[in-house]
């Protein structure tokens, strides 16, 4: 069991999705999973996955498609801790796959929208092949805490502001091995501090969980430790605009203790950033692939007063 003095809150109980009707669901976003005043993007992504799971186990149980294969998520506006509603539209119901459109609403305003594709992994058939693809250069062999060349990261920057990052035990290659990796790349093993095990719903959370790449970058372009970020006074917020997630397999029914992810940031231009993240299980099998577009903005954008003239659900643009 992981042990740490850092606060730890299990993810799944914090999603609290309950049916209002056949196509609407109530949620309550836990402030423990916030970055500043805004719920963590991965927490919101996991909430969408949980809505799909509940919808296909209740309203659409006859489809027998319990597994999300694709999540395409757009964040329209800042979300907030507290009550929320998810509204579902059944777009396409098929024998092999089905697609739903899900809208997240808070205070009568659409905050995020997603298309979610469901399937049944146990019934999928078709061509399978190994292409020889691998992450190059590779990280040190083995899995922590036994592996010698991995170390736990306990000094995540600005942890009081980024509460959502405190719930995961994070291990990265030791400093000498880390410097051999390409610039803008993070290689990490993760498990929940609470002892909760990773399930497919958790993959939405992990698709947006990684150290702050820009604040870890040293002048030579390599990933360094927190001191460089503190010296520079860096304190940014990284709101996600778009998150796409493809899930390759169903994790075991009792979950996984550890998952590994490799995150690559290619280029930052004019405050807009791209990210690719790939997730592996303990056997090295590919679990999921995610791509992001996110912004790099001053932290004041996170805590500033919310505008009163946002577009409402009815599409009233008169106040803009």
């Amino acid at each position: 069991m992981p042990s740490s003095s850092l606060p730890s809150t299990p993810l799944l109980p914090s999603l609290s999705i309950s049916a209002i009707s056949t196509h609407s669901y109530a949620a309550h976003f836990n402030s423990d999973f916030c970055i500043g005043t805004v719920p963590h993007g991965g927490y919101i992504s996991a909430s969408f996955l949980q809505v799909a799971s509940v919808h296909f186990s209740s309203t659409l149980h006859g489809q027998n498609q319990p597994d999300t294969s694709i999540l395409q998520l757009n964040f329209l506006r800042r979300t907030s801790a507290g009550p929320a509603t998810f509204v579902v539209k059944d777009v396409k119901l098929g024998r092999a796959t089905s697609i739903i459109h899900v809208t997240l609403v808070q205070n009568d305003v659409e905050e995020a929208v997603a298309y979610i594709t469901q399937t049944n992994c146990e019934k999928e058939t078709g061509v399978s092949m190994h292409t020889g693809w691998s992450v190059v250069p590779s990280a040190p062999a083995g899995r922590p805490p036994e592996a010698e060349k991995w170390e736990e990261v306990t000094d995540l920057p600005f942890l009081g502001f980024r509460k959502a990052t405190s719930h995961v035990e994070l291990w990265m290659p030791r400093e000498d091995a880390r410097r051999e990796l390409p610039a803008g790349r993070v290689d990490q093993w993760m498990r929940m501090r609470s002892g909760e095990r990773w399930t497919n719903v958790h993959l939405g959370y992990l698709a947006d969980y990684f150290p702050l790449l820009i604040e870890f970058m040293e002048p030579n372009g390599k990933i360094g430790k927190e001191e460089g970020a503190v010296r520079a006074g860096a304190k940014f917020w990284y709101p996600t605009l778009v998150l796409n997630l493809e899930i390759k397999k169903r994790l075991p029914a009792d979950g996984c203790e550890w998952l590994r992810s490799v995150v690559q940031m290619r280029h930052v231009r004019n405050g807009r950033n791209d990210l690719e993240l790939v997730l592996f299980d303990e056997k090295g099998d590919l679990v999921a692939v995610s791509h992001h577009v996110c912004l790099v903005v001053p932290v004041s954008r996170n805590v500033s007063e919310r505008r009163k003239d946002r577009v409402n659900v009815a599409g009233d643009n008169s106040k803009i």
Side-chain angles (χ1 to χ4, degrees):
M1 284 283 293
S3 60
S4 172
S5 59
L6 290 174
S8 178
T9 303
L11 177 68
L12 287 184
S14 301
L15 298 179
S16 71
I17 305 298
S18 59
I20 300 172
S21 68
T22 59
H23 286 76
S24 62
Y25 299 89
H28 193 282
F29 297 148
N30 190 331
S31 62
D32 285 354
F33 286 91
C34 279
I35 305 296
T37 65
V38 180
H40 177 246
Y43 175 71
I44 299 299
S45 301
S47 297
F48 273 89
L49 294 180
Q50 184 74 322
V51 168
S53 177
V54 172
H55 191 60
F56 277 83
S57 66
S58 55
T59 301
L60 296 183
H61 70 278
Q63 293 296 118
N64 192 22
Q65 294 166 339
D67 304 304
T68 297
S69 59
I70 303 171
L71 169 68
Q72 300 166 284
L73 177 56
N74 283 71
F75 293 88
L76 307 179
R77 300 171 182 85
R78 284 184 291 172
T79 56
S80 56
T85 302
F86 289 90
V87 180
V88 179
K89 178 182 178 181
D90 302 331
V91 177
K92 176 247 182 181
L93 303 181
R95 287 177 293 181
T97 62
S98 293
I99 300 173
I100 59 175
H101 180 273
V102 185
T103 303
L104 165 59
V105 179
Q106 288 188 297
N107 299 315
D108 296 326
V109 175
E110 295 179 353
E111 307 284 10
V113 293
Y115 279 98
I116 301 176
T117 302
Q118 292 289 123
T119 188
N120 188 324
C121 290
E122 293 183 349
K123 294 188 175 183
E124 285 185 318
T125 60
V127 175
S128 297
M129 62 183 295
H130 293 286
T131 65
W133 170 85
S134 63
V135 175
V136 179
S138 60
R143 176 188 61 70
E146 294 83 9
E148 293 182 357
K149 294 188 177 182
W150 294 84
E151 63 181 359
E152 185 177 2
V153 179
T154 58
D155 56 353
L156 289 171
F158 315 115
L159 197 57
F161 178 75
R162 299 187 170 106
K163 291 187 292 183
T165 64
S166 68
H167 311 298
V168 176
E169 184 179 329
L170 177 66
W171 291 68
M172 296 173 63
R174 293 187 182 276
E175 189 71 15
D176 55 342
R178 195 182 308 169
R179 293 183 180 277
E180 300 301 318
L181 300 178
R185 172 175 153 183
V186 163
D187 208 312
Q188 57 189 13
W189 281 99
M190 301 162 293
R191 66 176 172 180
M192 289 292 279
R193 296 188 185 280
S194 65
E196 185 181 15
R197 295 171 69 86
W198 303 123
T199 68
N200 280 52
V201 169
H202 289 86
L203 299 181
Y205 178 56
L206 292 180
D208 198 24
Y209 187 91
F210 37 82
L212 307 165
L213 290 168
I214 292 174
E215 293 175 15
F216 270 60
M217 292 287 285
E218 292 183 339
N220 63 4
K222 296 294 185 180
I223 300 296
K225 289 187 175 180
E226 181 185 1
E227 301 89 78
V230 173
R231 283 200 306 270
K235 197 170 184 182
F236 296 110
W237 178 40
Y238 305 90
T240 302
L241 297 179
V242 178
L243 185 152
N244 293 316
L245 174 65
E246 182 196 2
I247 299 175
K248 296 286 190 178
K249 62 183 289 187
R250 183 191 296 176
L251 295 177
D254 61 347
C256 297
E257 181 183 8
W258 291 92
L259 286 175
R260 174 195 171 205
S261 72
V262 178
V263 187
Q264 182 68 56
M265 178 181 66
R266 294 182 179 87
H267 194 68
V268 182
R269 176 171 292 177
N270 297 327
R272 183 157 45 88
N273 184 22
D274 66 273
L275 288 169
E276 179 187 58
L277 180 145
V278 287
L279 277 163
F280 302 89
D281 62 17
E282 295 185 46
K283 297 179 180 179
D285 198 17
L286 182 63
V287 173
V289 179
S290 182
H291 294 89
H292 297 214
V293 178
C294 58
L295 298 178
V296 183
V297 298
V299 74
S300 59
R301 293 273 297 274
N302 176 290
V303 298
S304 62
E305 185 177 354
R306 297 171 189 269
R307 290 174 53 187
K308 305 298 184 182
D309 58 348
R310 299 180 297 171
V311 180
N312 65 23
V313 174
D316 179 6
N317 299 315
S318 61
K319 296 182 180 179
I320 294 180

